[in-house]
Amino acid sequence: MGKIIAFANQKGGVGKTTTCINVATYMALMGKKVLIVDVDSQGNATSAVGINKTKDLKTIYDLIGGDSNYDEVIKPTIVDNLFIIPSTVDLAGAEVELVQIPQREKVIKNILDEIKPNFDFILIDCPPSLALITVNALTAADSLIVPIQCEFFALEGLTQLMNTVRLIKYHLNPNLDIEGVVMTMKDKRYNLANQVSNEIIKFFNKKVYVTTIPRNIRLAEAPSHGLPVALYDADSRGAEAYLSLTEEILKRNNSTYTKISKLKKIKFKGVNKEENDNE
């Protein structure tokens, strides 16, 4: 039985999608069968793993509406063992349509419960809001990872997020828990970043991952090439940070994995891919 982890923060620009797709990639490279579920109408996670958002692409919107089946919607990515349920701007209309559906908060849960046994991990990339789609994702999830940017407004809105989590635990999903908190875009040269980090640790205590994600140009460039950073530049500081974070997540879940010892370039599906030589 797989585990469903939602990546959520109603504040935009905190590295939520970047964290979701790169953790998913490293999980897959470590031998896990992983599914990304893109429930953000911007579809950034979809583009970041090399899926071309054509007009005939079947998406999470088609599953919600009952217009497509799983085989039509679940797509393989450029990474072995990594699959995605894509999203496009069409999903923006789902908020209005869901209001009319009975048990509207559990639509995505009902979808994922059917395919959960087929994957080791299902990672949900949530939109930067606490609207109905995010409520659906948190109702479906076993746990939540919160990426928080190490800047001045980092803690703004966290009270609202925590209140939403408490309400969902009480009314919809009593098993929902915070899996962990990851600090992103950290620049250790600035005192403010360190001060914010200390505040985050005070707020979340042991839930905060030891690994922090640095500001890194290669992380920023990778999505424009339709590649996770592990395939774009495996030697970059950003790639090394996400490798470390993924190991931390798997260890917290007591999940065994194949340790990545070395990466070498090969040609795969028309792109330069980094493939792991495993110990």
Side-chain angles (χ1 to χ4, degrees):
M1 179 67 73
K3 182 172 186 178
I4 302 176
I5 304 175
F7 289 72
N9 189 330
Q10 78 273 25
K11 191 177 188 307
V14 298
K16 174 181 54 58
T17 299
T18 300
T19 300
C20 180
I21 61 110
N22 285 302
V23 167
T25 296
Y26 275 116
M27 281 183 171
L29 291 173
M30 292 173 179
K32 301 300 180 183
K33 188 177 180 183
V34 184
L35 175 69
I36 297 171
V37 182
D38 190 351
V39 296
D40 186 347
S41 61
Q42 297 176 89
N44 291 335
T46 300
S47 300
V49 291
I51 301 296
N52 189 10
K53 290 185 281 188
T54 58
K55 288 184 179 180
D56 59 348
L57 179 68
K58 302 297 183 182
T59 69
I60 184 68
Y61 179 73
D62 296 294
L63 279 180
I64 290 172
D67 300 321
S68 297
N69 59 43
Y70 299 108
D71 291 339
E72 293 176 295
V73 175
I74 296 175
K75 304 293 183 186
T77 71
I78 54 177
V79 182
D80 293 338
N81 294 324
L82 180 61
F83 301 81
I84 188 168
I85 295 178
S87 176
T88 64
V89 69
D90 290 344
L91 187 61
E95 290 279 355
V96 176
E97 294 170 23
L98 280 171
V99 172
Q100 306 170 45
I101 299 175
Q103 291 194 309
R104 56 185 177 269
E105 299 91 351
K106 297 185 177 181
V107 172
I108 290 177
K109 173 180 170 56
N110 294 336
I111 289 170
L112 296 185
D113 278 351
E114 288 193 41
I115 56 176
K116 188 176 181 180
N118 299 326
F119 296 92
D120 296 309
F121 288 93
I122 296 176
L123 307 186
I124 308 177
D125 183 38
C126 297
S129 73
L130 294 178
L132 190 51
I133 289 290
T134 301
V135 170
N136 258 266
L138 296 180
T139 301
D142 297 305
S143 64
L144 166 67
I145 288 179
V146 185
I148 301 179
Q149 188 177 0
C150 291
E151 292 194 353
F152 182 70
F153 294 113
L155 300 176
E156 189 178 73
L158 273 181
T159 301
Q160 186 182 1
L161 177 63
M162 293 302 102
N163 285 338
T164 300
V165 170
R166 278 192 289 271
L167 287 170
I168 289 172
K169 280 175 68 75
Y170 185 77
H171 293 286
L172 297 165
N173 183 4
N175 297 320
L176 180 66
D177 195 15
I178 295 178
E179 173 99 6
V181 175
V182 55
M183 293 185 280
T184 63
M185 304 180 193
K186 185 172 183 180
D187 190 333
K188 295 179 181 178
R189 297 173 299 175
Y190 297 105
N191 288 333
L192 179 60
N194 296 320
Q195 290 168 11
V196 170
S197 296
N198 291 336
E199 289 301 313
I200 293 170
I201 292 169
K202 284 181 186 177
F203 194 91
F204 288 104
N205 204 350
K206 292 181 180 179
K207 294 288 186 182
V208 180
Y209 292 109
V210 174
T211 304
T212 60
I213 309 302
R215 284 194 174 276
N216 181 247
I217 190 65
R218 306 303 271 174
L219 276 178
E221 291 173 348
S224 67
H225 295 270
L227 294 171
V229 72
L231 309 191
Y232 182 65
D233 187 350
D235 295 323
S236 65
R237 289 194 308 127
E240 290 172 355
Y242 276 116
L243 172 58
S244 175
L245 175 63
T246 306
E247 289 179 336
E248 239 188 295
I249 292 170
L250 291 174
K251 286 174 183 175
R252 284 195 186 186
N253 282 278
N254 297 315
S255 180
T256 58
Y257 60 91
T258 304
K259 188 174 177 62
I260 296 175
S261 60
K262 186 167 58 174
L263 297 166
K264 61 183 180 182
K265 290 185 178 179
I266 64 167
K267 202 77 174 175
F268 183 72
K269 293 183 182 178
V271 299
N272 284 325
K273 177 196 171 188
E274 306 284 338
E275 185 181 70
N276 57 310
D277 283 346
N278 298 318
E279 290 181 336

